[in-house]
Amino acid sequence: MKLFSLIAATMMCLLLSNTVMAEEINLVGTENGEPIFKAIGIAFEKQHPEISVKIPDSIDSGGGIRAVAEDRAVIARVARDFNEREKKYGLTYIPFAKVQIVFFVNTGVEVKNLSVQQINDIYSGKIRNWQDLGGKNLKLRVVTREEEDSATETLEDCLPGFEEIDILSRSKTVFSDSDALDVVQKKQGAIGFGTYGIATHADVRILNIDGKSPADPDYLCSHPVGLVFKDKNKTGFIQKFVEFATSEAAHDVIRNAGGTPF
C-alpha cells in the first residue's frame, strides 16, 4: 500500500512539473497574414515543444495593440504600423514579413487580369458588367472593406487613384478576409480583396494586376505583418518567439505560407 502511494505521489509530481513547465503564447490580433502567423507558430513549437503558440480569433490589428497596451495580452500579431493615437502607448513593433493584397472573383468570372484604372472604375461603379472587361455578360457585384482596414489602406497606398474614388454605394462592406471570400464564393459576378495566403485556400479566382501575379517580386500591393509587445515583456519564451520569427530560420516558413520575408 505504501509502495502504491509512493508511485501515485511520484506521478502526481511529474504531472505538476510538466504543467509548470508548459508555456503558452497567446498571439492576439489581426486576421491579415494569419497563415503566416500560424505557420511560424507551428515551426516554433517543433523547436520548442514545451511552448504552445495559440492564434485566437481575430480582434484586428488595433484590438491586438490595445490588448497589449492594457496588459490584457503580452504580444500581438498586426498587419500595420502604429497610427498616431497608438504611438503614445510606447510599444515596440517589429515587422518580419510582407503579405500581398489581391483581388479575387467568383469562379464564374472569366477575367484573369485587371489594370489599375479598371479596378478604380469597378469600385467607383463606372463599370458594372464583366462584359465591359472582356468577360461574359455578367453583372458585377462589388465587395469592399472598412476604410481603416489594413487591406484597404494598402490598396489606397499602392493603386494610384484608389484613395480618391467614391466607392460604389451599392457595394457590400465586410470586415474580414474570410467574410469577403465567403461572399465572393457564393455570389455570381462578385469581386473582393484580401490577403493572398488566405485566398489561395478558397474557391475563388485570384486576379493579376497590370499583368503582375501576386507571386511576382514586383507585384504592386503588399503590406507588412509583425509583432507588437512591451519591451519589459520581451523575456523568456516571448523573446525566443520574437527572435525565431525575425530570423532567417523562419524565411522558408514565411514563403511557404504565402508571404515574403524581410
Side-chain angles (χ1 to χ4, degrees):
M1 191 67 175
K2 288 182 178 180
L3 179 61
F4 177 79
S5 297
L6 180 61
I7 293 172
T10 302
M11 291 180 66
M12 182 60 71
C13 287
L14 287 172
L15 286 172
L16 289 173
S17 175
N18 286 338
T19 300
V20 171
M21 287 177 62
E23 301 284 6
E24 182 174 292
I25 298 173
N26 195 35
L27 198 59
V28 303
T30 183
E31 182 187 41
N32 289 328
E34 191 170 290
I36 294 174
F37 291 110
K38 286 183 176 179
I40 290 289
I42 292 170
F44 180 75
E45 288 176 340
K46 288 180 180 178
Q47 291 192 10
H48 301 276
E50 76 281 7
I51 304 173
S52 174
V53 181
K54 303 295 184 184
I55 309 290
D57 291 342
S58 171
I59 55 173
D60 299 325
S61 294
I65 291 168
R66 287 192 299 275
V68 172
E70 296 168 3
D71 292 318
R72 291 182 285 109
V74 175
I75 190 168
R77 62 187 200 266
V78 299
R80 59 172 175 80
D81 201 344
F82 303 125
N83 60 35
E84 288 302 315
R85 183 178 66 257
E86 294 161 344
K87 288 178 181 179
K88 67 182 181 182
Y89 296 143
L91 306 177
T92 295
Y93 161 64
I94 299 182
F96 63 86
K98 293 189 297 182
V99 298
Q100 291 76 22
I101 299 300
V102 298
F103 287 91
F104 43 79
V105 294
N106 183 274
T107 54
V109 175
E110 298 173 340
V111 173
K112 298 179 181 179
N113 177 78
L114 292 174
S115 69
V116 172
Q117 186 59 56
Q118 287 171 332
I119 291 169
N120 291 341
D121 288 346
I122 288 171
Y123 273 79
S124 65
K126 292 181 180 178
I127 296 178
R128 302 195 178 193
N129 194 299
W130 287 106
Q131 188 172 240
D132 298 329
L133 297 164
K136 58 186 176 183
N137 184 8
L138 185 63
K139 181 181 177 181
L140 262 158
R141 298 177 184 271
V142 175
V143 181
T144 190
R145 306 283 284 273
E146 292 179 288
E147 187 175 342
E148 294 185 357
D149 184 276
S150 57
T152 303
E153 291 178 344
T154 298
L155 295 180
E156 290 176 346
D157 289 340
C158 73
L159 300 180
F162 193 81
E163 185 177 15
E164 284 76 34
I165 64 173
D166 293 323
I167 301 293
L168 180 66
S169 60
R170 293 183 291 101
S171 64
K172 181 175 179 60
T173 300
V174 296
F175 304 98
S176 68
D177 283 351
S178 55
D179 288 343
L181 288 163
D182 185 58
V183 174
V184 171
Q185 286 177 122
K186 292 177 179 177
K187 296 291 185 181
Q188 286 290 315
I191 180 173
F193 57 84
T195 53
Y196 181 48
I198 294 179
T200 56
H201 298 290
D203 187 23
V204 295
R205 184 192 302 280
I206 297 172
L207 302 180
N208 292 345
I209 300 177
D210 281 340
K212 300 295 182 181
S213 160
D216 291 338
D218 54 350
Y219 180 75
L220 282 175
C221 297
S222 63
H223 68 69
V225 292
L227 302 170
V228 166
F229 49 87
K230 289 183 176 179
D231 284 341
K232 68 177 184 179
N233 292 329
K234 189 188 174 188
T235 60
F237 61 95
I238 295 296
Q239 181 173 355
K240 289 180 181 178
F241 180 74
V242 173
E243 289 175 350
F244 175 75
T246 56
S247 72
E248 287 190 13
H251 285 188
D252 284 344
V253 176
I254 292 168
R255 292 188 188 98
N256 292 335
T260 303
F262 280 162

